[in-house]
Amino acid sequence: MNKIMTMGEILVEIMASQRGQSFREPGLLKGPYASGAPAIFIDQVARLGYRAGIIGCVGDDDFGLLNIERLKRDGVETGSIQIVKQSVTGSAFVTYRKDGERDFIFNITNSASAQLSSVNVTEAALNGCTHFHIMGSSLFSFRIIEAMKKAIEMVKGRGGTVSFDPNIRKEMLRIAEMREALRYILEFTDIFLPSGHEVTLLAEAADETNAVQELLGLGVREIVVKRGAAGCSYFDSSQRIDVPGLAVDEVDPTGAGDCFGATYVACRQNGQPPMEALRFANAAGALAVGRVGPMEGTSDFAALNALLAEQITKVAV
Ligand code: ATP
Ligand code: MG
C-alpha cells in the first residue's frame, strides 16, 4: 500500500473567540487546538483511510501530547515525531478581522518545531514512504530546508513522488532566501498545489496562464490552483479542468487548503483520475471551512460523499 508522509511544524492554535477581536487588549480565547499545516494535511490523509506518517518535533509538554494523541487517534503513524526535552511545542494565536482576513502571532522559530533537522530524516523515519508532501510554511530555517532536501532526495531516489503547497504567509516572505529554496523544491515537484495568488510567486511569468505553462515546463506534472469559495482549477500538459466551489457556510477558513491538498494527493496516489480527486478535494475543503478549529474540519469518505450527494440534490431541486 502507498504511504504518504510529510514533515514539519506541529503546533497548537489558540484563537480569538470573536470576529474583529484585537490582541492588543484582553479577550476570550479558544483552544488549544491541534494544528500546523503539515499536521492538518497528514491527519486528513489518515481520515480517508490511507497510510500516513509525519516527521516533526514537539516539546515535552501537554501541547505536544495533545497533537500526538490526536494524530494517533485519527490513524497517523506518529513514530517519527520526536519529543524534544527542554523545548516547548510551537503555537499560533489567530484572530479574525471583520473582512474575514486572519492575523497570526506565531511561536514557531523558538519552539520544538525549529529543532527539526537532517538528523530526523532517516531510512527508518521514512520507512515505506512512497509520496512526500512539503508545505512552504515549514521552510523557515536553513536547517529545515536541508532536512527537506534530504527527504526529497531519499523519496525520489526510491522512485517516489513529491507534492508541494507553497502555503506562504506574508510573514514568511521576510526571509530573504525563501524564494530560492522554494524554487529548488519546485524542480522536484510532481504535484503543485498553490492558492490563486501563489501561482506566479515562483514563476518568471506575471500571469496565471503563462506561469502554469512555465511550471509544467519545469517538470511539474499536475498543478491544482485553489480558489477558496470559487473552487479549483487543474492543469497538466494536455488539459485544464475547472471545478466550482460547493455552496457551504464558511465559519473558519484555516486548514481548508491543507485538507484539500491532502485529499487530492491521497486520491491520486490511490489511483483515482484527476476529476474524481478534484471532486473529493473540493468537498474536503468545503467541509473544513464549516468547522471551527484548524484540524477539526478533517473528513472521512463518508462525510465527503454525503456532502457531494447533498449538493447534487440541491442542484436537482
Ligand atoms: P489556507 O488558508 O488554508 O492556506 P488555501 O489558500 O491554501 O487556504 P483555499 O483556496 O482557501 O486554500 O481553500 C482550499 C479549497 O477549499 C478551495 O479550493 C475549495 O475547494 C475549498 N474552499 C475554501 N473555501 C471555501 C468556501 N468558502 N466554500 C466552499 N469551498 C471552499
Ligand atoms: Mg494554503
Side-chain angles (χ1 to χ4, degrees):
M1 192 183 177
N2 290 317
K3 179 175 168 186
I4 297 171
M5 288 195 72
T6 189
M7 176 162 84
E9 69 278 17
I10 298 171
L11 316 172
V12 291
E13 183 172 306
I14 295 165
M15 58 177 74
S17 59
Q18 307 270 337
R19 214 161 252 254
Q21 194 172 326
S22 162
F23 282 149
R24 293 200 200 158
E25 56 191 11
L28 217 58
L29 303 173
K30 282 192 295 191
Y33 289 101
S35 191
I40 299 166
F41 175 95
I42 211 64
D43 191 78
Q44 175 60 73
V45 173
R47 291 290 313 276
L48 296 175
Y50 297 125
R51 275 194 79 193
I54 182 165
I55 301 174
C57 296
V58 294
D60 192 9
D61 51 33
D62 283 348
F63 286 171
L65 288 177
L66 175 151
N67 273 291
I68 292 175
E69 283 166 11
R70 169 63 192 278
L71 291 170
K72 242 189 219 163
R73 195 179 78 214
D74 287 346
V76 177
E77 296 177 22
T78 57
S80 302
I81 299 177
Q82 185 193 347
I83 298 176
V84 184
K85 299 273 173 210
Q86 280 145 12
S87 193
V88 293
T89 301
S91 58
F93 290 80
V94 57
T95 180
Y96 296 82
R97 288 190 216 155
K98 291 241 160 68
D99 64 5
E101 282 294 302
R102 291 163 289 175
D103 286 310
F104 291 89
I105 297 176
F106 288 114
N107 168 28
I108 301 180
T109 50
N110 294 312
S111 77
S113 283
Q115 305 284 325
L116 187 65
S117 74
S118 298
V119 174
N120 297 91
V121 183
T122 59
E123 286 294 344
L126 283 169
N127 184 29
C129 173
T130 53
H131 181 91
F132 188 72
H133 180 76
I134 300 151
M135 287 289 181
S137 58
S138 308
L139 305 169
F140 57 84
S141 79
F142 286 115
R143 245 180 12 167
I144 294 174
I145 290 168
E146 281 313 306
M148 214 56 94
K149 287 179 179 172
K150 183 176 174 188
I152 292 170
E153 279 160 23
M154 283 169 68
V155 173
K156 282 258 158 169
R158 57 164 91 140
T161 47
V162 167
S163 51
F164 178 34
D165 179 343
N167 205 23
I168 293 168
R169 310 232 181 263
K170 57 182 189 295
E171 294 85 352
M172 308 286 305
L173 293 172
R174 291 186 200 139
I175 303 168
E177 292 78 6
M178 185 59 89
R179 190 170 197 274
E180 204 182 310
L182 296 176
R183 279 288 294 201
Y184 177 89
I185 288 167
L186 205 51
E187 295 189 9
F188 292 89
T189 298
D190 299 285
I191 303 177
F192 186 49
L193 296 151
S195 304
H197 67 279
E198 292 169 343
V199 184
T200 52
L201 213 61
L202 300 172
E204 304 293 331
D207 64 287
E208 183 178 293
T209 308
N210 286 312
V212 162
Q213 289 313 315
E214 186 185 329
L215 296 171
L216 292 172
L218 273 181
V220 177
R221 283 192 275 161
E222 299 176 11
I223 301 174
V224 183
V225 181
K226 292 167 282 174
R227 304 194 194 279
C232 59
S233 305
Y234 167 93
F235 303 86
D236 65 20
S237 58
S238 62
Q239 61 175 332
R240 170 182 180 145
I241 305 171
D242 292 295
V243 184
L246 298 171
V248 292
D249 289 329
E250 179 175 310
V251 296
D252 180 0
T254 308
D258 311 329
C259 292
F260 177 100
T263 304
Y264 181 79
V265 166
C267 288
R268 292 293 289 136
Q269 276 296 294
N270 288 282
Q272 305 210 32
M275 188 60 214
E276 272 301 284
L278 294 169
R279 274 183 70 240
F280 281 123
N282 223 18
L287 285 177
V289 301
R291 298 290 293 268
V292 173
M295 202 187 279
E296 309 316 300
T298 56
S299 315
D300 57 17
F301 270 118
L304 299 183
N305 278 315
L307 176 67
L308 289 165
E310 180 195 306
Q311 297 259 336
I312 288 168
T313 321
K314 265 191 200 160
V315 172
V317 169

